[in-house]
């Protein structure tokens, strides 16, 4: 399909998301589904208004609408108006994000600041940019208890600070990012050449693999910090994070185990741990971590692991092409973007990604049928689980230079 058709799909989805906004004064939000774990590990669907964050809240939607406004070319006023309203909501409610998640990229205040700063540039609204700097400056990077992962912890904070620094936010200093990196080094569980990290909110759980909460995401953040600071200890720790995952690799599944407590709860104790193929856990997210490692010059073992992870992701995606959802977090759009990232690095054609995109347009956009999203049988317009993320999937197929929200490259946000 042509790039123009992808842009058209992104804009049509974005306009639908904008039209669904619920307003209160100059702020807007949405109501959408959110999966939640209920009794005996059952997943329940709850509907509520959006919070302020990037992952499932108004900041993430505002960022997408700002990107669409910029890409559309003629400056649709309604896209800008709703983007501004969403980001106003996110910034106003940022203080509601509690410790230990304040510094995270996807669930924390630094992620909100990143969305506001990038959108302020795209929309020509310096007040948004200034408010982002104020939010960064008000955060305590040293004393409050912190998680370690990308979603809610130090690793995500490092990526956001380095990205905000590239955007020109004065309060996002390398010193602050380095402080978080030192915290990661101090929090690591060390076993020979392997580093892994516990979660302070789940102290009884095993140290996780994967991008969103595990060693892969922390390794990427440490590599980015090494790139920015030149300090070798951060690269050494990143390679130790990848070594931890390498020690757990399942050659039969060609994947890495999902060690989350609720996943293992009913799993046979004498069986190998289960593996998943999601951005958040398993091969797709690990593929992104190794692809970025290759981009940053760490190819020893990482290139082979990237290719294995991409092959596993491809096989899973083809199996789910007729039945999967179109979310970024754990759906066809997210895995399709992973394959596109791999194809770009290895100079291949992302044929399967285009099949995913074409199928979505034919089945849902052209027919008006509800898009299957990352909230089971529910609906939402959020970034990682809903239609805003699907719109951004199509926009990045049209223009891959726009920053990925699945693999945060600091330089891309500038």
């Amino acid at each position: 399909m042509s790039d123009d058709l992808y842009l058209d799909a992104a804009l049509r989805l974005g306009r639908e998301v904008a039209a669904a906004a619920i307003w209160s004064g100059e702020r807007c939000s949405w109501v959408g589904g959110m999966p939640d774990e209920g009794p005996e590990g059952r997943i329940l669907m709850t509907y509520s208004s959006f919070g302020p964050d990037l992952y499932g809240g108004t900041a993430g939607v505002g960022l997408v609408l700002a990107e669409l406004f910029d890409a559309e070319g003629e400056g649709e006023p309604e896209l800008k108006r709703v983007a501004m309203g969403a980001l106003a909501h996110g910034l106003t409610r940022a203080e509601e994000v509690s410790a230990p998640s304040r510094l995270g990229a996807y669930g924390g205040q630094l992620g909100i600041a990143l969305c506001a700063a990038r959108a302020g540039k795209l929309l020509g609204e310096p007040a948004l940019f200034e408010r982002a700097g104020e939010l960064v400056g008000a955060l305590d990077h040293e004393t409050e208890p912190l998680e370690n992962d990308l979603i809610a912890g130090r690793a995500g904070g490092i990526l956001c600070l380095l990205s905000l620094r590239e955007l020109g936010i004065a309060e996002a200093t390398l010193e602050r990012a380095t402080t978080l990196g030192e915290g990661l080094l101090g929090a690591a569980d060390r076993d020979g050449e392997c580093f892994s990290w516990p979660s302070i909110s789940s102290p009884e759980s095993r140290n996780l693999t994967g991008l969103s909460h595990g060693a892969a995401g922390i390794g990427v953040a440490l590599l980015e910090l090494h790139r920015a600071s030149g300090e070798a200890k951060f690269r050494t720790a990143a390679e130790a994070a990848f070594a931890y995952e390498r020690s757990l690799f399942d050659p039969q599944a060609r994947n890495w185990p999902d060690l989350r407590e609720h996943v293992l709860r009913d799993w046979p104790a004498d069986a190998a741990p289960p593996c998943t193929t999601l951005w958040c856990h398993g091969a797709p997210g690990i593929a992104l971590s190794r692809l970025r490692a290759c981009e940053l010059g760490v190819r020893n073992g990482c290139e082979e692991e990237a290719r294995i992870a991409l092959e596993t992701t491809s096989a899973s995606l083809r199996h789910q092409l007729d039945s999967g959802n179109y979310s970024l977090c754990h759906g066809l759009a997210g895995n399709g973007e992973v394959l596109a990232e791999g194809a770009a690095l290895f100079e291949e054609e992302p044929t399967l990604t285009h099949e995913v995109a074409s199928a979505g347009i034919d089945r849902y956009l052209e027919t008006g049928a509800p898009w299957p999203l990352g909230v089971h049988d529910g609906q939402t317009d959020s970034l990682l689980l809903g239609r805003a993320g699907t719109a951004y999937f199509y926009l990045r197929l049209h223009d891959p230079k726009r920053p990925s929200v699945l693999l945060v490259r600091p330089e891309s946000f500038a």
Side-chain angles (χ1 to χ4, degrees), residues 14 21 97 110 123 316 364:
V97 179
L110 282 175
L123 300 174
S316 174
Y364 307 111

Side-chain angles (χ1 to χ4, degrees), residues 365-382:
L365 195 66
E366 297 301 337
T367 66
W371 288 81
L373 301 169
V375 287
H376 299 276
D377 294 328
Q379 289 291 307
T380 186
D381 287 318
S382 65

Side-chain angles (χ1 to χ4, degrees), residues 15 217 241 247 291-292 351 370 385:
R15 291 171 186 137
S247 72
L291 290 170
R292 185 55 172 166
T351 304
L385 297 177

Side-chain angles (χ1 to χ4, degrees), residues 35-46 262 265-266 376:
D36 194 15
E37 186 176 354
E40 300 178 355
R42 291 179 297 172
I43 300 298
L44 305 177
M45 183 61 55
T46 60
H262 77 271
R265 185 178 299 139
D266 298 321
H376 299 276

Side-chain angles (χ1 to χ4, degrees), residues 79-239:
L79 289 177
K80 179 175 180 177
R81 184 178 82 95
V82 182
M84 292 285 292
L87 289 159
H89 177 277
L91 287 164
T92 301
R93 292 186 57 190
E95 292 184 358
E96 297 178 13
V97 179
S98 60
S101 303
R102 289 195 181 98
L103 301 185
Y106 296 88
Q109 292 185 21
L110 282 175
I112 298 169
L114 179 57
C115 291
R118 168 76 176 174
K121 292 274 192 178
L122 296 174
L123 300 174
E125 293 288 341
L128 274 180
F129 191 81
E130 292 168 7
R131 289 187 68 185
E134 292 169 1
L135 182 56
V136 174
L139 284 171
D140 182 349
H141 296 72
E142 298 186 24
T143 60
E144 67 177 45
L146 299 177
E147 285 286 4
N148 296 306
D149 62 7
L150 278 190
I151 296 290
R154 292 183 173 99
I158 289 169
L159 292 182
C160 285
L161 285 169
L162 295 178
S163 300
L164 288 160
R165 182 169 171 259
E166 292 279 354
L167 276 163
I169 294 289
E171 295 83 353
T173 64
L174 180 57
E175 180 182 5
R176 287 184 166 185
T178 301
T179 297
L180 295 182
E182 296 284 0
L184 284 177
L185 298 186
D189 288 340
R190 307 183 181 212
D191 182 8
E193 296 182 350
C194 299
F195 286 12
S196 63
W197 282 265
S199 166
I200 67 171
S201 59
S202 300
E204 303 302 320
S205 299
R206 295 178 64 179
N207 294 354
L208 299 181
T209 66
L211 191 68
S212 67
H213 293 289
I218 296 170
V220 167
L222 290 168
L223 280 182
E224 296 289 359
L225 188 54
H226 167 257
R227 181 191 189 208
S229 69
E231 295 194 39
K233 61 186 176 183
F234 295 126
R235 173 170 172 160
T236 299
E239 293 178 336

